[in-house]
Amino acid sequence: MGTTFSQMVPPSPPLTEKNLPNQSGKVFIVTGGYSGIGYHLSAILYNAGAKVYVAGRTESVALKAIEEIKASSPSATGSLAYLPLDLADLSTIKASVEKFESLETKLHVLWNNAGISQPPAGTTTAQGYEAHIGINCLGPLLFTQLLLPSLRASTDPSEPASTRVVWTSSLMVDLSAPTGGFEMNAVQNPPKDPIANYILSKTGNWFLASELGRVVSPYGILSLTQNPGNLKSNLLRHSWWMYYLAFPMLYDSKFGAYTELWAGLSPMLDMAHSGAYLLPWGRVNSEPRMDLIYASRGTSEDGGTGRAAEFYDWCEDQIREFK
């Protein structure tokens, strides 16, 4: 309960635009980087001198956001560019990665920031997957895996864990995820309740971060997930009643950018934190739910249930034809 309360009322952020080192020479991708948390994160990175690719589906909105950021910081030395990305259509993601690879040879940090929360019941992706699973899990996993060559190219043996993949989870995982995570039947036959599907997908993000960590750790790439915090953003645009009910406990979305900033760039994180779950506004969760930790362990021999691996393998099966 103490950890849950501290996520709702966090201590001051340890890493902000005020003490962020210069990021010149670094290349970053922020999915959903033109609104809410992603907008603030893109602006902070741009002002720190980085080359930032703002990835998302709506080009006009992205270009407007880019111009706004540039206009607000005329002396910034970074760069901003739009990268087309539709996480709701797996058949388009490879082209997005090829576009990036035509422009860059390295990628230092990928922030899987974009996501949806509680669209109308029955909403599906282009391939017919329940929207939360498709957009929050399958699309980001395919995008991440296709970007692994660029991520590997940026690793530096003298700075282990400086290349990272940051996933986005939610406080709802701590509060409401089923014991042990979820059964695969709930993924393959999604319930009609959008809230249940959102929680499933955010638990899935932690599982994907943990399992991807096993794959990329040998290359010095750190994969982890974070709860950005309780924020005033458009994530709850489909659940206005929940937004107004929670409003007194919500923070400006810029604070969520501080959580993601710490996850992606804090020197306090190393390879020992592979698969870790981070808290607002930049802390390692020292008291994670043990049933979810057990779910993230591979087999009964190492004290785990293997549910995270089962989910990761299922996701792999769904995206394989689109690589």
Side-chain angles (χ1 to χ4, degrees):
M1 183 63 186
T3 299
T4 300
F5 179 78
S6 79
Q7 292 183 70
M8 299 175 71
V9 186
S12 298
L15 185 62
T16 71
E17 65 272 27
K18 294 180 180 179
N19 62 339
L20 177 66
N22 186 278
Q23 298 297 310
S24 296
K26 297 293 183 68
V27 178
F28 302 133
I29 294 178
V30 182
T31 68
Y34 49 68
S35 67
I37 299 171
Y39 177 94
H40 290 294
L41 179 61
S42 296
I44 292 170
L45 297 170
Y46 168 69
N47 277 286
K51 182 178 288 188
V52 185
Y53 285 86
V54 176
R57 182 170 57 181
T58 312
E59 182 176 9
S60 60
V61 177
L63 294 178
K64 181 181 178 182
I66 287 171
E67 290 308 310
E68 287 178 355
I69 294 171
K70 288 181 176 179
S72 67
S73 306
S75 62
T77 59
S79 67
L80 290 163
Y82 170 62
L83 182 67
L85 176 66
D86 185 358
L87 295 172
D89 187 350
L90 297 174
S91 69
T92 68
I93 293 176
K94 187 174 184 178
S96 298
V97 173
E98 290 173 345
K99 173 68 173 178
F100 175 79
E101 291 176 335
S102 72
L103 300 168
E104 305 291 344
T105 58
K106 295 182 179 181
L107 173 61
H108 295 88
V109 182
L110 166 62
W111 277 275
N112 283 318
N113 164 77
I116 61 164
S117 173
Q118 303 168 57
T123 301
T124 59
T125 67
Q127 283 72 40
Y129 295 102
E130 191 281 322
H132 293 93
I133 289 297
I135 296 172
N136 294 350
C137 296
L138 294 178
L141 181 62
L142 176 60
F143 189 54
T144 301
Q145 289 192 348
L146 291 173
L147 284 167
L148 286 181
S150 297
L151 287 161
R152 288 184 61 180
S154 75
T155 57
D156 183 349
S158 68
E159 295 184 281
S162 60
T163 299
R164 299 179 188 179
V165 178
V166 180
W167 301 80
T168 302
S169 191
S170 168
L171 174 63
M172 294 295 286
V173 172
D174 273 315
L175 293 176
S176 304
T179 300
F182 51 78
E183 300 285 350
M184 284 304 301
N185 181 61
V187 178
Q188 297 162 332
N189 302 285
K192 297 185 181 300
D193 179 9
I195 296 178
N197 288 318
Y198 173 73
I199 295 168
L200 188 154
S201 72
K202 293 291 100 178
T203 307
N205 285 149
W206 188 2
F207 286 174
L208 293 178
S210 176
E211 289 301 305
L212 182 73
R214 301 183 198 281
V215 176
V216 301
S217 289
Y219 306 112
I221 301 171
L222 182 60
S223 172
L224 34 75
T225 191
Q226 44 82 38
N227 162 30
N230 301 323
L231 308 166
K232 300 170 186 175
S233 74
N234 63 2
L235 187 63
L236 293 177
R237 62 189 179 276
H238 298 297
S239 301
W240 60 267
W241 61 271
M242 184 178 293
Y243 179 86
Y244 287 108
L245 185 65
F247 191 82
M249 296 294 291
L250 299 181
Y251 295 80
D252 188 278
S253 56
K254 190 172 188 177
F255 282 87
Y258 293 150
T259 307
E260 296 197 1
L261 189 69
W262 193 84
L265 296 174
S266 172
M268 296 178 64
L269 296 170
D270 57 32
M271 294 309 301
H273 294 104
S274 176
Y277 185 92
L278 309 181
L279 307 181
W281 311 117
R283 298 168 288 151
V284 176
N285 188 352
S286 61
E287 298 179 7
R289 276 180 47 178
M290 290 310 299
D291 62 307
L292 299 180
I293 294 296
Y294 296 145
S296 296
R297 294 176 180 165
T299 64
S300 57
E301 284 83 17
D302 56 13
T305 65
R307 287 189 180 177
E310 186 179 14
F311 178 64
Y312 187 91
D313 290 346
W314 179 84
C315 289
E316 280 268 39
D317 289 340
Q318 311 313 304
I319 67 175
R320 184 169 289 113
E321 68 178 285
F322 301 100
K323 293 183 179 180

